[in-house]
Amino acid sequence: MDITNIVGMIAALLTTISFVPQALKTIRTKHTGDLSLNMYIALNTGVALWFVYGLIQNAMPIILANSITFCFTFTILVMIIKYRDKPSAK
């Protein structure tokens, strides 16, 4: 693996795991009132497009990072939609 892919994989790892705390907290509390629906719609669309771009470019760091990131951000998006008008379960 060359230095370009190493840097790409490290960047992919860091940006992907950055969504783990939010996903876990959202799953645990079901509180989504402070999260922006429009932001997560835009984010999921962008992540999906980055995944497609990675496929087109055959860029494994982009493919891996965005497929995993999409799982986290899509989970959050679904929970925002599902729980947006419900009180949190504290």
Side-chain angles (χ1 to χ4, degrees):
M1 188 178 291
D2 67 357
I3 189 69
T4 302
N5 280 329
I6 292 170
V7 169
M9 292 299 274
I10 293 170
L13 175 68
L14 293 173
T15 57
T16 297
I17 65 171
S18 71
F19 286 98
V20 172
Q22 185 66 64
L24 292 176
K25 184 175 182 180
T26 303
I27 291 165
R28 190 180 80 252
T29 66
K30 297 179 179 36
H31 177 71
T32 61
D34 296 330
L35 301 177
S36 169
L37 175 63
N38 290 333
M39 181 271 201
Y40 273 90
I41 289 170
L43 179 63
N44 277 277
T45 302
V47 169
L49 290 171
W50 271 114
F51 174 77
V52 171
Y53 175 80
L55 290 174
I56 292 167
Q57 295 294 319
N58 196 28
M60 195 53 65
I62 295 172
I63 294 167
L64 288 175
N66 288 289
S67 61
I68 296 167
T69 299
F70 186 82
C71 292
F72 293 132
T73 60
F74 188 73
T75 298
I76 296 168
L77 176 62
V78 168
M79 294 192 73
I80 290 170
I81 293 167
K82 183 175 180 180
Y83 296 111
R84 67 178 143 177
D85 293 327
K86 296 181 183 177
S88 64
K90 291 184 181 179

